[in-house]
Amino acid sequence: RLVAPILSFTADEVWEFLPAVEGRAASVHLALFPKPEELYAGDPAPLLEEWKQIFAVRDAALLSLEQARQEKRIGKGLEADVEIQASGEQLLLLRKYAGSLKEILNVSAARVIEGTALTVAALPAAGHKCARCWNFMPAVANYGVWQDVCTRCHGALTAMGVQPPTGDDEAAA
């Protein structure tokens, strides 16, 4: 229901495959949005406060990325790694979300280190650019005729059952 305005066809198709429930609307587009308490049963205030702090770090990162862009050290955000220095509770919070920071900041890598105050440094990304996800990764390799695919994308393609195309596959098409 939440993604229906953005992924309208996909959400409607998923809705059709959900198990039948008495009284459920025939289309996701006829269903009401869930109430906040249906999404999060606890008190949302602590979680909202955490995300306010994460967005403050994101604002600092965006300023640092823009400065690096203007100095021509990077082009897009994925061409950068960021190093975030923080202390105290802020450091603990950033470490809690460390696994998601690169996606939140839209960069190739994010490192959190202990410092005296919040600082964010944008650095040119280390590694090689993956031709599939455009992230800079430590290693890329060929996957059939696909060139420069990172190990993460290779794993995703394998998990989805996508076999690497061969030159013969292209000739037959």
Side-chain angles (χ1 to χ4, degrees):
R1 289 183 280 173
L2 293 175
V3 300
I6 301 163
L7 300 170
S8 55
F9 295 110
T10 304
D12 209 36
E13 188 172 338
V14 169
W15 191 262
E16 291 174 12
F17 284 95
L18 292 175
V21 173
E22 183 71 30
R24 184 172 60 208
S27 167
V28 68
H29 303 293
L30 299 174
L32 298 175
F33 277 161
K35 295 178 178 144
E37 56 272 10
E38 292 179 63
L39 298 173
Y40 192 77
D43 177 14
L47 185 62
L48 291 172
E49 186 55 41
E50 281 185 356
W51 279 95
K52 282 181 187 175
Q53 292 178 46
I54 294 291
F55 281 125
V57 171
R58 185 174 183 272
D59 289 344
L62 290 175
L63 287 173
S64 183
L65 288 166
E66 185 56 33
Q67 182 178 0
R69 242 184 239 105
Q70 289 179 4
E71 295 170 357
K72 308 282 189 224
R73 292 186 287 126
I74 65 166
K76 299 177 177 128
L78 288 175
E79 295 176 11
D81 293 346
V82 294
E83 185 175 271
I84 305 167
Q85 292 186 27
S87 62
E89 294 293 320
Q90 194 171 46
L91 177 64
L92 294 175
L93 176 65
L94 291 171
R95 285 185 174 160
K96 176 180 175 181
Y97 289 98
S100 301
L101 286 175
K102 72 182 233 77
E103 283 82 14
I104 293 168
L105 304 176
N106 196 32
V107 295
S108 283
R111 287 180 294 285
V112 178
I113 59 173
E114 190 167 2
T116 56
L118 177 67
T119 59
V120 181
L123 311 164
H128 309 279
K129 184 177 180 179
C130 173
R132 182 172 178 266
C133 69
W134 299 359
N135 280 273
F136 282 73
M137 301 298 240
V140 294
N142 296 340
Y143 188 74
V145 295
W146 294 326
Q147 305 293 306
D148 303 325
V149 177
C150 70
T151 54
R152 185 180 74 160
C153 286
H154 182 277
L157 290 166
T158 302
M160 291 185 298
V162 176
Q163 297 299 315
T166 63
D168 297 338
D169 294 339
E170 283 190 348

